Amino acid sequence: MPRFFVFFLYFVAIFLQAGAYGLTFMLPRLFESFGANEKVVGAMLIMTALSTLVTVYFSGHLSDLFGRLRTLSVACIAISVSLFLYGFVDTVGAGLVIASLLLGFGWGLTYSLGPIVLTRLVRADERVRFLHYFQYL
């Protein structure tokens, strides 16, 4: 596969994943649509944060066990599934909890493994430049 195409896919994937961050600003409106209030939003964000912290702590172990690219792929799939669940849940319950936990899991792995995978894709003399690009995505 041509090198430019690999970088293009990598940066597009990271850019699209970053869109999930914007979801947090829409959660109050989403939850309001099925009768929940700001307390429920806060509770879900706490669960997301705790899931992120636990995942970041164990991300090295997971990437050693499954490989960096596979683990990063699973993280992106977890974010996609969480966004799907947020889009289709219409009541406060287990669906929201699972979506929040998956979102935290995906964020934790993506933000901890993304730069590591990038350093494996570029030569040592290019790392500063590409990590600079990565920072602004």
Side-chain angles (χ1 to χ4, degrees):
M1 189 177 315
R3 188 168 186 240
F4 175 78
F5 188 67
V6 171
F7 286 123
F8 177 76
L9 286 178
Y10 177 80
F11 282 110
V12 166
I14 294 297
F15 178 75
L16 292 174
Q17 183 277 330
Y21 178 74
L23 170 76
T24 59
F25 300 110
M26 299 304 294
L27 287 179
R29 296 189 87 189
L30 174 68
F31 286 27
E32 182 182 291
S33 71
F34 50 80
N37 59 22
E38 297 84 15
K39 290 180 183 179
V40 176
V41 175
M44 293 302 119
L45 290 177
I46 286 171
M47 295 175 91
T48 301
L50 292 174
S51 174
T52 301
L53 291 172
V54 169
T55 301
V56 167
Y57 184 78
F58 290 105
S59 65
H61 298 295
L62 290 172
S63 67
D64 288 343
L65 187 62
F66 300 112
R68 289 180 183 97
L69 290 176
R70 282 191 189 113
T71 307
L72 191 58
S73 298
V74 167
C76 293
I77 291 169
I79 290 172
S80 298
V81 170
S82 76
L83 296 177
F84 175 82
L85 287 173
Y86 276 128
F88 283 95
V89 167
D90 58 354
T91 61
V92 176
L96 282 180
V97 172
I98 292 169
S100 298
L101 293 174
L102 284 174
L103 186 61
F105 174 78
W107 274 353
L109 287 176
T110 301
Y111 286 111
S112 61
L113 293 179
I116 294 169
V117 169
L118 180 62
T119 61
R120 303 293 248 171
L121 294 174
V122 299
R123 295 186 318 258
D125 60 328
E126 296 178 315
R127 286 186 184 155
V128 172
R129 182 174 56 145
F130 282 97
L131 287 171
H132 176 75
Y133 295 151
F134 181 78
Q135 174 187 356
Y136 291 106
L137 287 178

